[in-house]
Amino acid sequence: MKEVLLIIDFGSQYTQLIARKVRELNVRSEIIPFDKFDHLPNYVKGVVLSGSPASVNNLDAPSVDLSIIRKKVPLLSLCYGAQLIAHQLGGEVAASDSREYGRSNLKLANQNIIFQGLEDNSQVWMSHGDTILRLPESSQIIGSTDDVEIAAFSLNDEYTFGLQFHPEVYHTTHGQTILLNFLIKVCDFSQNWTSDSFIESTVEKLKLELKHDKVLMALSGGVDSTVAAVLLHKAIGNNLHCVFVDNGLLRKNEYDNVLKMYKNIGLNIQGVDASFQFLEKLSKITDPEKKRKIIGSTFIEVFESVAQDLSGFVWLGQGTIYPDVIESISATGGPSETIKSHHNVGGLPDKMNLKIIEPLRQLFKDEVRRVGLALGIKDSIIKRHPFPGPGLAIRIMGEVTLEKVVILQQVDEIFISSLKKHDLYDKIWQAAVILLGDSSVGVMGDGRTYEKVVALRAVQSTDGMTADWVHLPYDFLSKVSNEIINKVKGVNRVVYDISSKPPATIEWE
């Protein structure tokens, strides 16, 4: 069927990073919360136990039945995972005198396959409050640091390893070597998880599953939905019917350009101009959450209306990616504060009675981009910055009007085109322009002006969970500001947002 490294998540902040590092080595990884793990699928060739903010000594400590794994497939346990093995098998784990966090140097002991190619005293990254004081029987220390005697151990006569440090983080200088040793020399993975192999297997699977069924899919112009649509099109051709809705909140000329782009790709697509409908419903609405919900519900209304005019559809295509799947079943789940509604529109109503097909639900964002390039989709599409589902509505402070949308579209076009012209666009994760609600006093010519303020925003990130503001050159910002004020009627002041996430979110609303 497939070769998979299974990662059992105990709530570590690094779990997704483990999965990504493994995939960089062309090995497929899957994450499962500890409380969802009850058997070992026959396609699993190795298991990793993640770290956790918990203590194994707590009564409610997260745990799994290790007998399901041990001596059946190789097992690599990290931080909390290592403590869990020691604790369950009769060793001793206790709170450290002080939290051990940061860089340490690993001293190797008892030559071990997992450390082949490592230099003695290489740097590792520690992040734990408990430490292993005593190992269980039939085990041996294979690595120590100045502060942690049992920094790494193995169980005798089986491929089970415990590391108190984190090989998946950048600060462990030879972490990739350790992971590679485990995956290749211990688990014997064939390293066949590549973009080309994913495309081939996915298209074949889609053909078998969908046969001659018809699929309906809403496209946004973004990377995920575009790549998902192209994969579906390769499998079923014009049995895929795509819909691209203009909500009146897209970038300047975006609707026409994206529609043309999709047609050039060869997709069977229908454009729907519903801009008046969206703008009318947003009239006099200032609350950001209300804006989002109105846009989401209006999109569903428009999409349902289109679907009613069509017939014979069995499936609804979606561009869901792996982080969405992980978050929906997270081991650290439970009630949490909603900072804001998700940018993308949620699921469509059950009454549509369509089955869901999600070709990308196994991939991280960077993998989606690589698959898109392997499919031959142009860089201009694949390397596009993320754009929020509610569009410019959440980049306009206060009420959304057609006049404000036009102003923001003009400013946005100047900013984005300038980034591309100066070779800065591809160095930025996301760039945006925000139209502030209040006006400011200015002087143009011999007259006083009272016009709008726009804020430029550019951030660097990997997944949008955290972000740093980009230090754009002052000369560049000066030129952009000057061009905006001279060319866009209604704007007399430009500011640059230098806040990072956290505490500020990437979008302003």
Side-chain angles (χ1 to χ4, degrees), residues 32-316:
I32 184 171
F34 73 92
D35 56 354
K36 302 289 194 305
F37 175 76
D38 57 9
H39 73 286
L40 197 66
N42 58 14
Y43 52 79
V44 171
K45 294 189 68 172
V47 173
V48 170
L49 304 183
S50 83
S52 174
S55 168
V56 296
N57 293 313
N58 292 346
L59 291 176
D60 59 350
S63 183
V64 292
D65 183 354
L66 294 175
S67 67
I68 298 175
I69 309 167
R70 287 180 55 213
K71 298 186 179 180
K72 296 178 178 64
V73 296
L75 173 62
L76 177 64
S77 50
L78 310 178
C79 197
Y80 177 89
Q83 296 167 6
L84 182 67
I85 290 177
H87 178 71
Q88 283 197 12
L89 300 185
E92 181 182 356
V93 179
S96 306
D97 292 335
S98 61
R99 179 174 171 83
E100 293 160 337
Y101 183 87
R103 297 171 177 83
S104 294
N105 291 320
L106 183 68
K107 299 176 179 64
L108 302 179
N110 296 314
Q111 291 277 341
N112 192 280
I113 189 171
I114 202 154
F115 290 149
Q116 275 190 21
L118 243 70
E119 300 173 0
D120 202 23
N121 284 312
S122 62
Q123 179 178 287
V124 297
W125 183 260
M126 293 285 189
S127 179
H128 59 102
D130 286 354
T131 193
I132 301 169
L133 297 181
R134 177 172 51 82
L135 283 177
E137 294 181 3
S138 300
S139 60
Q140 61 177 327
I141 297 174
I142 59 174
S144 304
T145 68
D146 289 338
D147 298 319
V148 181
E149 181 186 6
I150 307 173
F153 68 88
S154 65
L155 299 186
N156 299 339
D157 303 320
E158 60 180 279
Y159 284 132
T160 296
F161 309 91
L163 307 181
Q164 186 60 79
F165 58 90
H166 290 271
E168 70 273 22
V169 303
Y170 170 79
H171 303 295
T172 297
T173 52
H174 295 290
Q176 200 81 326
T177 301
I178 295 170
L179 292 175
L180 189 64
N181 285 340
F182 179 71
L183 296 171
I184 310 308
K185 294 179 179 176
V186 178
C187 299
D188 194 31
F189 279 100
S190 58
Q191 292 183 279
N192 59 3
W193 178 254
T194 64
S195 295
D196 289 337
S197 68
F198 173 81
I199 293 169
E200 182 181 351
S201 62
T202 300
V203 170
E204 188 62 31
K205 181 181 177 182
L206 290 171
K207 286 179 178 178
L208 291 171
E209 188 169 7
L210 301 176
K211 298 183 177 64
H212 300 294
D213 290 348
K214 295 171 70 175
V215 178
L216 184 64
M217 185 169 186
L219 299 186
S220 66
V223 175
D224 298 340
S225 64
T226 301
V227 174
V230 172
L231 280 169
L232 282 164
H233 185 259
K234 282 180 72 71
I236 62 173
N238 283 340
N239 274 346
L240 170 68
H241 186 96
C242 302
V243 178
F244 180 50
V245 176
D246 181 5
N247 58 13
L249 304 165
L250 303 174
R251 287 182 155 133
K252 187 177 179 180
N253 300 323
E254 179 94 341
Y255 177 65
D256 292 333
N257 291 339
V258 169
L259 204 55
K260 181 180 178 181
M261 174 266 290
Y262 280 138
K263 289 178 179 177
N264 288 340
I265 290 176
L267 296 180
N268 174 23
I269 187 162
Q270 173 184 353
V272 179
D273 184 354
S275 52
F276 177 79
Q277 187 173 340
F278 280 86
L279 290 171
E280 184 180 44
K281 291 198 173 187
L282 287 169
S283 177
K284 297 184 172 55
I285 303 298
T286 59
D287 181 78
E289 276 299 292
K290 286 185 179 179
K291 288 184 193 178
R292 291 173 180 272
K293 293 185 186 307
I294 287 171
I295 292 167
S297 62
T298 305
F299 175 85
I300 290 172
E301 288 175 16
V302 172
F303 193 79
E304 279 189 294
S305 176
V306 173
Q308 287 173 3
D309 295 334
L310 304 168
S311 62
F313 287 93
V314 180
W315 300 85
L316 177 70

Side-chain angles (χ1 to χ4, degrees), residues 61 171 227 292 320 323 397 444-445 468:
H171 303 295
V227 174
R292 291 173 180 272
T320 308
M397 302 291 100
M444 289 187 179
D468 292 323

